[in-house]
């Protein structure tokens, strides 16, 4: 009988626990208070030397501020070819609002611009929508669609993976593919797949916030864009070596 009473008491306690947990007193403190924080990350800040003897300074950065579910992002990518007398080329500069829609995945939307950074340059402005996060097996993904003022649509896929070699060193393969859904003659961007770029970098952390790296990359124009480059006597592929640093604060 005593054992039966014990069992009944445990069952009643188990049934009443969820009910009691759902009626917390108003003066009880929250288990974890929401807070906002931020980060500035230079994923790539590098000098590249190509097989055409061009020297490039390349940056790829993002900054964010917000909480667990809602954030504001600024992303920027670009490059400058040394000693060519031309200004830096802005591949993208975007301001985005972000919402967490699933574990490790954010849906982002905002405004962006790209083009020459020369004073008074007529840059391409666009709307951008991105799916940003970690795919299974920890592939870092940034997939975006842009629509410019003329209605031209482009799509871009970026994927990175950190293969841990030790507690402080990593091997990072990287893939980038860009395509255009419509012809954009004003920006020399034909429809179809336009560019493919693959890279491999070895990174060593001197601290969590500062990690120099060495690497190589290969890029190639595709489809109609490659045909145009060949018709103009250009080279549709490029091979390069890079030295750079990944840092955040």
């Amino acid at each position: 009988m005593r054992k039966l009473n014990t069992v009944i008491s445990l069952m009643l306690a188990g049934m009443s626990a969820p009910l009691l947990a759902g009626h917390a007193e108003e003066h009880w403190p929250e288990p974890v208070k929401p807070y906002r924080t931020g980060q500035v990350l230079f994923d790539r800040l590098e000098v590249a030397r190509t097989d055409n003897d061009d020297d490039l300074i390349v940056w790829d950065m993002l900054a964010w501020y917000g909480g667990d579910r809602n954030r504001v992002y600024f992303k920027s990518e670009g490059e400058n070819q040394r000693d060519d007398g031309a200004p830096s080329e802005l591949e993208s500069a975007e301001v985005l609002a972000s919402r967490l829609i699933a574990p490790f995945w954010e849906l982002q939307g905002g405004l962006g611009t790209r083009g020459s950074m020369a004073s008074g340059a007529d840059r391409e402005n666009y709307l951008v929508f991105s799916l940003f996060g970690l795919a299974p097996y920890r592939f870092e993904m940034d997939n975006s669609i842009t629509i410019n003022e003329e209605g031209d649509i482009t799509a871009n896929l970026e994927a990175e993976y950190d293969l841990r070699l030790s507690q402080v060193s990593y091997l990072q393969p990287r893939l980038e593919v860009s395509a255009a859904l419509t012809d954009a003659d004003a920006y020399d961007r034909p429809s179809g797949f336009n560019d493919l770029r693959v890279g491999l970098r070895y990174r060593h952390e001197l601290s969590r916030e500062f990690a120099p790296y060495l690497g190589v990359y290969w890029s190639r124009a595709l489809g109609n864009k490659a045909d145009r480059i060949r018709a103009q006597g250009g080279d549709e592929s490029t091979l390069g070596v890079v030295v750079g640093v990944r840092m955040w604060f």
Side-chain angles (χ1 to χ4, degrees), residues 223-234:
N224 294 328
K225 183 175 180 179
D227 294 339
R228 290 187 182 184
I229 292 174
R230 284 193 294 267
Q232 297 169 0

mmCIF file with all atom_site columns, all heavy atoms in Angstrom, residues 223-234:
data_model
loop_
_atom_site.group_PDB
_atom_site.id
_atom_site.type_symbol
_atom_site.label_atom_id
_atom_site.label_alt_id
_atom_site.label_comp_id
_atom_site.label_asym_id
_atom_site.label_entity_id
_atom_site.label_seq_id
_atom_site.pdbx_PDB_ins_code
_atom_site.Cartn_x
_atom_site.Cartn_y
_atom_site.Cartn_z
_atom_site.occupancy
_atom_site.B_iso_or_equiv
_atom_site.pdbx_formal_charge
_atom_site.auth_seq_id
_atom_site.auth_comp_id
_atom_site.auth_asym_id
_atom_site.auth_atom_id
_atom_site.pdbx_PDB_model_num
ATOM 1  N N   . GLY A 1 223 ? 29.392 30.716 -69.933 1.00 0.00 ? 223 GLY A N   1
ATOM 2  C CA  . GLY A 1 223 ? 28.301 30.989 -70.864 1.00 0.00 ? 223 GLY A CA  1
ATOM 3  C C   . GLY A 1 223 ? 28.542 32.162 -71.793 1.00 0.00 ? 223 GLY A C   1
ATOM 4  O O   . GLY A 1 223 ? 29.620 32.332 -72.385 1.00 0.00 ? 223 GLY A O   1
ATOM 5  N N   . ASN A 1 224 ? 27.514 32.998 -71.914 1.00 0.00 ? 224 ASN A N   1
ATOM 6  C CA  . ASN A 1 224 ? 27.581 34.146 -72.825 1.00 0.00 ? 224 ASN A CA  1
ATOM 7  C C   . ASN A 1 224 ? 28.649 35.145 -72.419 1.00 0.00 ? 224 ASN A C   1
ATOM 8  O O   . ASN A 1 224 ? 29.250 35.809 -73.276 1.00 0.00 ? 224 ASN A O   1
ATOM 9  C CB  . ASN A 1 224 ? 26.215 34.840 -72.869 1.00 0.00 ? 224 ASN A CB  1
ATOM 10 C CG  . ASN A 1 224 ? 25.146 33.966 -73.479 1.00 0.00 ? 224 ASN A CG  1
ATOM 11 O OD1 . ASN A 1 224 ? 25.421 33.148 -74.360 1.00 0.00 ? 224 ASN A OD1 1
ATOM 12 N ND2 . ASN A 1 224 ? 23.903 34.116 -73.014 1.00 0.00 ? 224 ASN A ND2 1
ATOM 13 N N   . LYS A 1 225 ? 28.901 35.258 -71.113 1.00 0.00 ? 225 LYS A N   1
ATOM 14 C CA  . LYS A 1 225 ? 29.947 36.181 -70.670 1.00 0.00 ? 225 LYS A CA  1
ATOM 15 C C   . LYS A 1 225 ? 31.319 35.723 -71.144 1.00 0.00 ? 225 LYS A C   1
ATOM 16 O O   . LYS A 1 225 ? 32.128 36.534 -71.595 1.00 0.00 ? 225 LYS A O   1
ATOM 17 C CB  . LYS A 1 225 ? 29.936 36.304 -69.142 1.00 0.00 ? 225 LYS A CB  1
ATOM 18 C CG  . LYS A 1 225 ? 30.945 37.308 -68.617 1.00 0.00 ? 225 LYS A CG  1
ATOM 19 C CD  . LYS A 1 225 ? 30.837 37.489 -67.115 1.00 0.00 ? 225 LYS A CD  1
ATOM 20 C CE  . LYS A 1 225 ? 31.860 38.504 -66.617 1.00 0.00 ? 225 LYS A CE  1
ATOM 21 N NZ  . LYS A 1 225 ? 31.752 38.703 -65.147 1.00 0.00 ? 225 LYS A NZ  1
ATOM 22 N N   . ALA A 1 226 ? 31.587 34.428 -71.071 1.00 0.00 ? 226 ALA A N   1
ATOM 23 C CA  . ALA A 1 226 ? 32.860 33.898 -71.561 1.00 0.00 ? 226 ALA A CA  1
ATOM 24 C C   . ALA A 1 226 ? 32.996 34.112 -73.063 1.00 0.00 ? 226 ALA A C   1
ATOM 25 O O   . ALA A 1 226 ? 34.086 34.455 -73.557 1.00 0.00 ? 226 ALA A O   1
ATOM 26 C CB  . ALA A 1 226 ? 32.973 32.417 -71.222 1.00 0.00 ? 226 ALA A CB  1
ATOM 27 N N   . ASP A 1 227 ? 31.894 33.944 -73.808 1.00 0.00 ? 227 ASP A N   1
ATOM 28 C CA  . ASP A 1 227 ? 31.936 34.178 -75.255 1.00 0.00 ? 227 ASP A CA  1
ATOM 29 C C   . ASP A 1 227 ? 32.307 35.626 -75.565 1.00 0.00 ? 227 ASP A C   1
ATOM 30 O O   . ASP A 1 227 ? 33.095 35.900 -76.477 1.00 0.00 ? 227 ASP A O   1
ATOM 31 C CB  . ASP A 1 227 ? 30.591 33.833 -75.884 1.00 0.00 ? 227 ASP A CB  1
ATOM 32 C CG  . ASP A 1 227 ? 30.263 32.343 -75.791 1.00 0.00 ? 227 ASP A CG  1
ATOM 33 O OD1 . ASP A 1 227 ? 31.213 31.549 -75.624 1.00 0.00 ? 227 ASP A OD1 1
ATOM 34 O OD2 . ASP A 1 227 ? 29.073 31.986 -75.870 1.00 0.00 ? 227 ASP A OD2 1
ATOM 35 N N   . ARG A 1 228 ? 31.742 36.557 -74.833 1.00 0.00 ? 228 ARG A N   1
ATOM 36 C CA  . ARG A 1 228 ? 32.045 37.972 -75.053 1.00 0.00 ? 228 ARG A CA  1
ATOM 37 C C   . ARG A 1 228 ? 33.512 38.272 -74.774 1.00 0.00 ? 228 ARG A C   1
ATOM 38 O O   . ARG A 1 228 ? 34.166 39.008 -75.514 1.00 0.00 ? 228 ARG A O   1
ATOM 39 C CB  . ARG A 1 228 ? 31.163 38.841 -74.163 1.00 0.00 ? 228 ARG A CB  1
ATOM 40 C CG  . ARG A 1 228 ? 29.701 38.872 -74.547 1.00 0.00 ? 228 ARG A CG  1
ATOM 41 C CD  . ARG A 1 228 ? 28.952 39.893 -73.699 1.00 0.00 ? 228 ARG A CD  1
ATOM 42 N NE  . ARG A 1 228 ? 27.528 39.913 -74.004 1.00 0.00 ? 228 ARG A NE  1
ATOM 43 C CZ  . ARG A 1 228 ? 26.658 40.763 -73.453 1.00 0.00 ? 228 ARG A CZ  1
ATOM 44 N NH1 . ARG A 1 228 ? 27.089 41.644 -72.548 1.00 0.00 ? 228 ARG A NH1 1
ATOM 45 N NH2 . ARG A 1 228 ? 25.382 40.733 -73.786 1.00 0.00 ? 228 ARG A NH2 1
ATOM 46 N N   . ILE A 1 229 ? 34.040 37.706 -73.680 1.00 0.00 ? 229 ILE A N   1
ATOM 47 C CA  . ILE A 1 229 ? 35.442 37.965 -73.320 1.00 0.00 ? 229 ILE A CA  1
ATOM 48 C C   . ILE A 1 229 ? 36.380 37.411 -74.388 1.00 0.00 ? 229 ILE A C   1
ATOM 49 O O   . ILE A 1 229 ? 37.342 38.070 -74.803 1.00 0.00 ? 229 ILE A O   1
ATOM 50 C CB  . ILE A 1 229 ? 35.745 37.352 -71.942 1.00 0.00 ? 229 ILE A CB  1
ATOM 51 C CG1 . ILE A 1 229 ? 34.969 38.101 -70.854 1.00 0.00 ? 229 ILE A CG1 1
ATOM 52 C CG2 . ILE A 1 229 ? 37.240 37.408 -71.651 1.00 0.00 ? 229 ILE A CG2 1
ATOM 53 C CD1 . ILE A 1 229 ? 35.096 37.492 -69.486 1.00 0.00 ? 229 ILE A CD1 1
ATOM 54 N N   . ARG A 1 230 ? 36.100 36.197 -74.880 1.00 0.00 ? 230 ARG A N   1
ATOM 55 C CA  . ARG A 1 230 ? 36.943 35.610 -75.929 1.00 0.00 ? 230 ARG A CA  1
ATOM 56 C C   . ARG A 1 230 ? 36.864 36.426 -77.203 1.00 0.00 ? 230 ARG A C   1
ATOM 57 O O   . ARG A 1 230 ? 37.871 36.615 -77.911 1.00 0.00 ? 230 ARG A O   1
ATOM 58 C CB  . ARG A 1 230 ? 36.521 34.160 -76.182 1.00 0.00 ? 230 ARG A CB  1
ATOM 59 C CG  . ARG A 1 230 ? 36.992 33.184 -75.118 1.00 0.00 ? 230 ARG A CG  1
ATOM 60 C CD  . ARG A 1 230 ? 36.819 31.751 -75.582 1.00 0.00 ? 230 ARG A CD  1
ATOM 61 N NE  . ARG A 1 230 ? 35.401 31.414 -75.734 1.00 0.00 ? 230 ARG A NE  1
ATOM 62 C CZ  . ARG A 1 230 ? 34.662 30.854 -74.781 1.00 0.00 ? 230 ARG A CZ  1
ATOM 63 N NH1 . ARG A 1 230 ? 35.194 30.570 -73.608 1.00 0.00 ? 230 ARG A NH1 1
ATOM 64 N NH2 . ARG A 1 230 ? 33.386 30.573 -75.005 1.00 0.00 ? 230 ARG A NH2 1
ATOM 65 N N   . ALA A 1 231 ? 35.672 36.927 -77.551 1.00 0.00 ? 231 ALA A N   1
ATOM 66 C CA  . ALA A 1 231 ? 35.511 37.736 -78.760 1.00 0.00 ? 231 ALA A CA  1
ATOM 67 C C   . ALA A 1 231 ? 36.314 39.029 -78.678 1.00 0.00 ? 231 ALA A C   1
ATOM 68 O O   . ALA A 1 231 ? 36.759 39.559 -79.705 1.00 0.00 ? 231 ALA A O   1
ATOM 69 C CB  . ALA A 1 231 ? 34.035 38.038 -78.995 1.00 0.00 ? 231 ALA A CB  1
ATOM 70 N N   . GLN A 1 232 ? 36.513 39.536 -77.452 1.00 0.00 ? 232 GLN A N   1
ATOM 71 C CA  . GLN A 1 232 ? 37.289 40.759 -77.266 1.00 0.00 ? 232 GLN A CA  1
ATOM 72 C C   . GLN A 1 232 ? 38.776 40.487 -77.064 1.00 0.00 ? 232 GLN A C   1
ATOM 73 O O   . GLN A 1 232 ? 39.548 41.420 -76.804 1.00 0.00 ? 232 GLN A O   1
ATOM 74 C CB  . GLN A 1 232 ? 36.747 41.522 -76.060 1.00 0.00 ? 232 GLN A CB  1
ATOM 75 C CG  . GLN A 1 232 ? 35.305 41.992 -76.252 1.00 0.00 ? 232 GLN A CG  1
ATOM 76 C CD  . GLN A 1 232 ? 34.684 42.507 -74.970 1.00 0.00 ? 232 GLN A CD  1
ATOM 77 O OE1 . GLN A 1 232 ? 35.328 42.524 -73.913 1.00 0.00 ? 232 GLN A OE1 1
ATOM 78 N NE2 . GLN A 1 232 ? 33.426 42.931 -75.035 1.00 0.00 ? 232 GLN A NE2 1
ATOM 79 N N   . GLY A 1 233 ? 39.173 39.212 -77.179 1.00 0.00 ? 233 GLY A N   1
ATOM 80 C CA  . GLY A 1 233 ? 40.586 38.858 -77.036 1.00 0.00 ? 233 GLY A CA  1
ATOM 81 C C   . GLY A 1 233 ? 41.050 38.733 -75.601 1.00 0.00 ? 233 GLY A C   1
ATOM 82 O O   . GLY A 1 233 ? 42.263 38.706 -75.344 1.00 0.00 ? 233 GLY A O   1
ATOM 83 N N   . GLY A 1 234 ? 40.136 38.609 -74.662 1.00 0.00 ? 234 GLY A N   1
ATOM 84 C CA  . GLY A 1 234 ? 40.504 38.504 -73.261 1.00 0.00 ? 234 GLY A CA  1
ATOM 85 C C   . GLY A 1 234 ? 40.635 37.069 -72.799 1.00 0.00 ? 234 GLY A C   1
ATOM 86 O O   . GLY A 1 234 ? 40.406 36.119 -73.551 1.00 0.00 ? 234 GLY A O   1
#
